[in-house]
Amino acid sequence: MRKPLLVALCALAFAGVGATPAVAAAPAPTGADTTTDAAPRTLTDVVDGVVGTATDTLSGLSAPKAGAVNFAGTVSLSNCSGSVVRMPGSADDDPALVLTNGHCLESGFPAPGQVLVDRASSRSFGLLNSSGSKVATLRADRLVYATMTDTDAAIYRLGTTYGQIKSAYGIDALKLSGTRPAAGTSISVVSGYWKRIYNCSIDGFAYRMKEGDWTWKDSVRYTSACDTIGGTSGSPVVDSATGQVVAVNNTGNTNGERCTVNNPCEVDETGRVTVREGINYAQQTYLFAACFGVDSKLDLSRSDCAVPKP
């Protein structure tokens, strides 16, 4: 899993701009907005799976890539990226929702098999406009859902509606697709932490993906152009044609190890394991569209809601 960048940036200061950043050693979130939550708790919270040269890493802080997809509606967290999302049936007066990774929780990683629902939260998020500038700090009032079982996702509810965000800042939430994406789809991974957009395609899907103690289902595999770095966990994966969110970015195999933390492996239906060094992944989000009703309320009892349950 991709994690925060504090240690990596410290390494740059010691080693010089031309050095290659450190690689993560344990699963943790990614990114940091200094206006939001408390600092990471341990070295494993700050050492991230940073891939690429230091020059590339630093340029990502201030040089968004051009393209049809932009940063409007994305957010920066204290330790990850994320986005304000609305379900296909959401109304303007519904409380807004923020999507990120389960491993980005301020309370630490959910254990395998653990599903967290309806927890108090006052987490804050830096709301970005189309150019990547922070225009507001949004605050959650509940953690609606979080897990690292079968998927790696967390959804917070804000104390602000979609309509209020639009009226105050002129920013629309990103719409969550209710349809499973297809291989070959052109996508953009939009990091609110780095204010950087990665453009590539869906290469295919991993039937099962194992990383350390966690297993995820039907994970999205990127083509190599999406060489996401530390700080990108929780970034929305946007269908470039529709502008809708189809997945949430969460991990990548950093050095070719087999099924270890920060080195996920793919497992097919027969149990055969494949390791793809340098390839990055996301977790599909279309299943959540069937689990939310009016007023952004989660209803896990719905017959078509197939996400993991407590």
Side-chain angles (χ1 to χ4, degrees):
M1 282 149 276
R2 305 295 189 193
K3 291 170 297 228
L5 272 284
L6 178 59
V7 168
L9 294 176
C10 291
L12 297 183
F14 287 114
V17 174
T20 300
V23 174
T30 41
D33 178 355
T34 57
T35 65
T36 56
D37 303 329
R41 302 172 298 282
T42 66
L43 283 179
T44 57
D45 290 327
V46 294
V47 180
D48 208 347
V50 186
V51 180
T53 65
T55 300
D56 183 55
T57 300
L58 292 174
S59 69
L61 289 169
S62 58
K65 296 181 179 179
V69 175
N70 59 47
F71 298 98
T74 62
V75 298
S76 56
L77 287 67
S78 62
N79 59 355
C80 281
S81 297
S83 57
V84 181
V85 296
R86 61 188 298 162
M87 301 299 161
S90 294
D92 288 346
D93 60 355
D94 289 344
L97 301 172
V98 169
L99 170 70
T100 186
N101 283 147
H103 80 258
C104 294
L105 291 183
E106 62 271 49
S107 57
F109 313 133
Q114 185 178 25
V115 178
L116 304 176
V117 176
D118 194 27
R119 303 290 181 94
S121 177
S122 60
R123 194 167 197 181
S124 56
F125 311 91
L127 176 66
L128 306 185
N129 64 13
S130 60
S131 63
S133 297
K134 179 182 173 181
V135 296
T137 297
L138 304 175
R139 191 169 297 277
D141 59 20
R142 304 298 290 179
L143 171 66
V144 177
Y145 181 92
T147 192
M148 288 176 64
T149 298
D150 294 353
T151 186
D152 183 7
I155 299 176
Y156 291 85
R157 186 186 71 195
L158 302 181
T160 313
T161 68
Y162 297 112
Q164 288 170 330
I165 294 173
K166 174 68 172 180
S167 176
Y169 312 111
I171 294 174
D172 290 310
L174 300 177
K175 187 174 181 180
L176 196 79
S177 173
T179 304
R180 185 180 185 275
T185 299
S186 294
I187 55 173
S188 296
V189 182
V190 189
S191 172
Y193 174 75
W194 282 118
K195 301 174 178 59
R196 178 172 176 181
I197 300 174
Y198 300 82
N199 298 298
C200 64
S201 298
I202 295 177
D203 182 57
F205 303 91
Y207 173 73
R208 297 288 184 270
M209 190 163 68
K210 293 183 63 66
E211 180 173 342
D213 294 330
W214 292 273
T215 299
W216 302 308
K217 296 180 178 179
D218 202 20
S219 302
V220 172
R221 181 197 316 118
Y222 305 145
T223 54
S224 59
C226 280
D227 53 346
T228 51
I229 59 175
T232 61
S233 279
S235 298
V237 179
V238 180
D239 183 319
S240 302
T242 66
Q244 296 186 1
V245 175
V246 296
V248 58
N249 179 69
N250 81 309
T251 195
N253 188 293
T254 58
N255 57 16
E257 292 182 10
R258 178 186 170 107
C259 313
T260 62
V261 170
N262 299 309
N263 290 283
C265 63
E266 298 182 22
V267 184
D268 68 14
E269 294 89 337
T270 68
R272 184 171 63 94
V273 174
T274 301
V275 174
R276 303 178 191 268
E277 183 176 0
I279 294 299
N280 298 291
Y281 299 88
Q283 301 307 309
Q284 298 190 55
T285 52
Y286 74 95
L287 291 173
F288 286 106
C291 301
F292 282 81
V294 296
D295 296 328
S296 299
K297 290 183 178 178
L298 177 69
D299 185 358
L300 296 177
S301 67
R302 288 186 166 194
S303 59
D304 52 351
C305 177
V307 301
K309 299 170 177 61

